Amino acid sequence: TDLGSISMLTPAGFRERFGAESSGLATTPHFAGFRIGVNDLGATRAILAKAGVEVREPGGSLWIALSGIVVEFTEHSQG
């Protein structure tokens, strides 16, 4: 849809993309993360750093892990 999409990853795919294990039992489907589009990754990084949140920066995005759930921030173009 124009509002977003859902990606299904295997445990191996999740590890490959995020470099971490997903939360929950690997043998059952479960919610493991989501992506948020932001206008400015630099500003987002600064806000998270000021709040003391550990941020990883793989391949042009930022992501954080909160209680085993990955939140990925990507910069979207304004249009």
Side-chain angles (χ1 to χ4, degrees):
T1 71
D2 291 340
L3 299 176
S5 63
I6 296 175
S7 298
M8 303 288 286
L9 301 174
T10 63
F14 189 89
R15 265 191 313 278
E16 183 178 319
R17 179 168 179 164
F18 296 110
E21 297 294 325
S22 65
S23 64
L25 300 173
T27 59
T28 61
H30 59 277
F31 185 79
F34 58 97
R35 179 183 301 155
I36 300 171
V38 298
N39 291 329
D40 186 338
L41 279 178
T44 302
R45 182 185 306 106
I47 291 166
L48 293 169
K50 185 174 182 176
V53 177
E54 181 183 345
V55 177
R56 296 189 184 194
E57 299 187 51
S61 66
L62 305 174
W63 67 266
I64 61 176
L66 300 171
S67 300
I69 303 295
V70 172
V71 181
E72 181 179 31
F73 299 90
T74 59
E75 194 164 291
H76 62 80
S77 59
Q78 297 179 16

